[in-house]
Amino acid sequence: MFLFISRPTRTLGNRMQEIRERLGADFAAKLDALHRNALRTGLVSIEELQEAFRKTRDIGHNPNRLNLLWLLGIMFFIMVATPVFYETISFLLGVRCFLPNNYLVWEATRPISDCEFCKGVKAPLILANLTMEEFAPHAYSSLPIIVKKAVAHWPAQQHLNYSYIKDLYESFPDSMESDCQFQHFNSDLKSLKDVWAMSEERSNLSHGAPWFVGWSVCHPGVLAELRKLYPRPHFLPVDAEMPHADFILMGYEQGAVMHLDYIPRLMWQAQLKGNKSWFLAPAPECDHQCQPLSFYVEPGDAVLVDTRIWYHANTIPKGQFSLTVQSEYG
Ligand SMILES: [Fe+2]
């Protein structure tokens, strides 16, 4: 082994000496270091030495490495700089949220699903009206659940409608200015002011385009009055934490487009008026293990869906007015 290595070493040494004499001491020292490293790694010819030099030189100029750095830089810009930009613009324009539904950022930052929640799920679990004890085994399930006629006895089902809610808001003048979340979905109504400013003909769809909106009832006075017309669903666990605001969704035909909810708890909805069709889909990474499903709910039904993990969309039958109260528990 020693002879095999020592012979070409002397050849390389002679050549390196010639080069050293022609070049400066600094460069020659670098060549010496390269030479010693080459010997340590067992290189035996000039060609192998040249190949080692090429590889050393290319480490700093690897085009794939540069592409990866660019990609990471662009991802960092989208995930960090974009929200900062929109928040800054929102602040400068004096509006609450310049981009209310930054689904691109939410989608980019949501955790990857393990798909356990949707494996084998082909339909919602449909339960007859039941007690808290009977509901307990299902209370924190990720399986979509319909509890039939669970809210049919609520006064809200008889009394709540567009005019009642409009009058209630107008009885609290500061409620129009409150900083509550508003979703206009596909409609042209951009705020609650627009909703209450509709003509009667547009509001009941006897004239004009269909509309569908949803908003957080975060004004304490309005919320207190509304909650006189509905309790929390009687079958929910008694120790379930409830939020400080509920959500109202109402309108015609259009419904909510496919989305995830970025909320801290499980969701329940009380379908007060109209039928509503639900379309659920697993996260895209679960497409090969799970399947989408659809169902509909009728007035008086309660529906429970973990809308944080199920993508969901709704439609309302043509010509029907849908009114839903939504809240959270957990
Ligand atoms: Fe939703």
Side-chain angles (χ1 to χ4, degrees), residues 259-261 307 312 326:
H259 67 286
L260 283 180
D261 289 342
T307 51
H312 53 286
Q326 173 180 310

Side-chain angles (χ1 to χ4, degrees), residues 11-220:
T11 305
L12 278 172
N14 294 339
R15 288 174 185 258
M16 295 299 287
Q17 182 61 36
E18 291 172 15
I19 295 169
R20 189 182 295 113
E21 289 170 358
R22 287 205 306 264
L23 300 173
D26 188 42
F27 184 64
K30 291 180 180 175
L31 286 179
D32 276 341
L34 179 62
H35 184 201
R36 283 194 296 275
N37 284 334
L39 294 180
R40 263 204 307 274
T41 55
L43 298 179
V44 295
S45 69
I46 285 294
E47 288 72 23
E48 286 177 325
L49 186 61
Q50 288 172 338
E51 179 63 21
F53 171 71
R54 268 195 297 275
K55 286 181 178 176
T56 304
R57 179 195 60 195
D58 291 346
I59 285 175
H61 300 87
N62 187 337
N64 291 333
R65 186 164 173 249
L66 283 177
N67 288 341
L68 181 63
L69 287 174
W70 268 108
L71 185 63
L72 288 173
I74 291 169
M75 287 176 65
F76 177 81
F77 181 82
I78 291 173
M79 295 178 71
V80 176
T82 303
V84 170
F85 169 76
Y86 282 119
E87 286 299 321
T88 305
I89 294 295
S90 302
F91 176 77
L92 294 176
L93 294 179
V95 296
R96 179 171 171 268
C97 196
F98 178 67
L99 191 65
N101 300 309
N102 199 343
Y103 289 123
L104 177 64
V105 173
W106 287 346
E107 181 62 25
T109 55
R110 74 168 173 81
I112 298 296
S113 173
D114 66 3
C115 309
E116 289 300 320
F117 73 94
C118 58
K119 283 179 185 170
V121 178
K122 296 178 179 171
L125 176 64
I126 301 178
L127 302 170
N129 200 3
L130 72 182
T131 65
M132 189 184 296
E133 290 72 28
E134 291 167 331
F135 185 70
H138 312 291
Y140 297 102
S141 168
S142 57
L143 189 65
I145 298 172
I146 301 171
V147 184
K148 298 298 291 183
K149 304 302 177 193
V151 303
H153 61 290
W154 285 4
Q157 197 177 6
Q158 292 181 346
H159 298 296
L160 276 193
N161 53 39
Y162 173 88
S163 299
Y164 185 99
I165 302 171
K166 177 183 177 183
D167 291 345
L168 179 59
Y169 268 87
E170 289 178 346
S171 70
F172 290 93
D174 62 325
S175 65
M176 299 292 193
E177 308 302 329
S178 57
D179 200 19
C180 301
Q181 184 187 3
F182 182 84
Q183 301 267 7
H184 63 83
F185 299 111
N186 289 322
S187 71
D188 58 325
L189 308 171
K190 304 302 182 192
S191 70
L192 266 184
K193 281 183 185 173
D194 291 344
V195 175
W196 308 137
M198 274 190 294
S199 66
E200 186 177 348
E201 293 75 23
R202 174 91 193 273
S203 71
N204 63 25
L205 203 60
S206 59
H207 180 76
W211 54 273
F212 186 87
V213 296
W215 72 93
S216 168
V217 183
C218 68
H219 185 277

Side-chain angles (χ1 to χ4, degrees), residues 103 183 185 247 249 256-263 267 269 278 307-308 310-314 326:
Y103 289 123
Q183 301 267 7
F185 299 111
F247 218 80
L249 297 139
V257 296
M258 193 64 87
H259 67 286
L260 283 180
D261 289 342
Y262 291 83
I263 55 178
M267 181 233 55
Q269 275 196 8
W278 282 76
T307 51
R308 302 167 299 179
W310 283 102
Y311 282 80
H312 53 286
N314 306 110
Q326 173 180 310

